[in-house]
Amino acid sequence: PDIDISASSIVDEFYDDQVSKPEIERTIGDAGTLGRLKHHMSNYILDMFSGYYDDIYVLSRLRIGLVHDRIGVPPMLYISSIRTLFQILRQRLTSKLSANKQCSTCHKILEALEKIILFDLTLVMDTYIHALVKQVSNSKIELENYAKSLEEEVSSRTKELIEFAQ
């Protein structure tokens, strides 16, 4: 299907839905951010239909996960948004293929689209998980350092008390 022509309308429909949700609207913030997100989403959709799923494609999906984690988008919110995108794409593809009497290929294309979206989702969730594990590891190191400094402080105070007692 000629997805290139309708990518901007798909993006507009997607973000109309997204900004209707207060939590997402707060996360997006201003019109400038929304414009940048729309641009990136347009590229994301075009990449999905490009047919090239190489290292560059994978790295861009991992970067999506990092950005969403950095700006504080909860994984469940991201998954919900991806579901919305899939519904919009499915509806658009189904109506386009039905109008062109290509119903026999519709199921195969939708199945391929679902696989691509699930592949992307897996990459993004892996990034979320990796970031979470890194946070836990960093917190553990901070806690160990804090415990060590407390031990040193207690040891120092104990020595002072012994000296005062003598």
Side-chain angles (χ1 to χ4, degrees):
D2 188 7
I3 196 68
D4 188 30
I5 294 171
S6 59
S8 64
S9 68
I10 290 168
V11 169
D12 287 340
E13 183 178 344
F14 174 77
Y15 278 105
D16 286 346
D17 174 80
Q18 296 300 288
V19 297
S20 72
K21 299 169 184 162
E23 186 177 5
I24 295 174
E25 185 181 29
R26 280 191 306 273
T27 301
I28 291 173
D30 56 59
T33 302
L34 181 60
R36 287 188 300 278
L37 287 171
K38 284 184 173 187
H39 171 75
H40 290 295
M41 178 61 80
S42 219
N43 289 338
Y44 174 76
I45 291 169
L46 295 174
D47 282 351
M48 264 197 291
F49 288 92
S50 72
Y52 299 104
Y53 309 104
D54 55 6
D55 292 348
I56 294 169
Y57 182 90
V58 169
L59 288 174
S60 73
R61 295 324 185 246
L62 294 173
R63 206 172 5 257
I64 290 169
L66 289 174
V67 169
H68 281 83
D69 178 62
R70 190 175 336 120
I71 63 175
V73 176
M76 292 308 294
L77 201 55
Y78 180 80
I79 292 169
S80 171
S81 295
I82 289 298
R83 182 176 183 275
T84 299
L85 177 62
F86 180 64
Q87 289 172 330
I88 292 168
L89 289 169
R90 183 178 55 211
Q91 187 275 326
R92 295 287 181 100
L93 286 171
T94 302
S95 64
K96 180 172 269 209
L97 293 170
S98 296
N100 294 331
K101 309 281 191 257
Q102 296 175 334
C103 294
S104 61
T105 61
C106 185
H107 179 71
K108 291 177 184 174
I109 291 172
L110 290 174
E111 192 173 285
L113 175 64
E114 183 178 17
K115 287 178 182 179
I116 292 167
I117 286 181
L118 289 173
F119 176 67
D120 290 356
L121 184 60
T122 301
L123 293 172
V124 171
M125 288 299 109
D126 281 350
T127 305
Y128 270 113
I129 291 167
H130 179 73
L132 184 60
V133 167
K134 188 174 180 177
Q135 286 175 344
V136 168
S137 178
N138 289 343
S139 294
K140 180 182 174 192
I141 290 168
E142 287 177 21
L143 185 59
E144 287 171 350
N145 289 339
Y146 180 70
K148 185 176 179 179
S149 72
L150 279 179
E151 286 175 8
E152 290 170 357
E153 181 70 25
V154 167
S155 176
S156 172
R157 298 275 172 107
T158 303
K159 286 179 185 177
E160 287 177 9
L161 287 174
I162 290 172
E163 288 174 8
F164 283 136
Q166 291 175 351

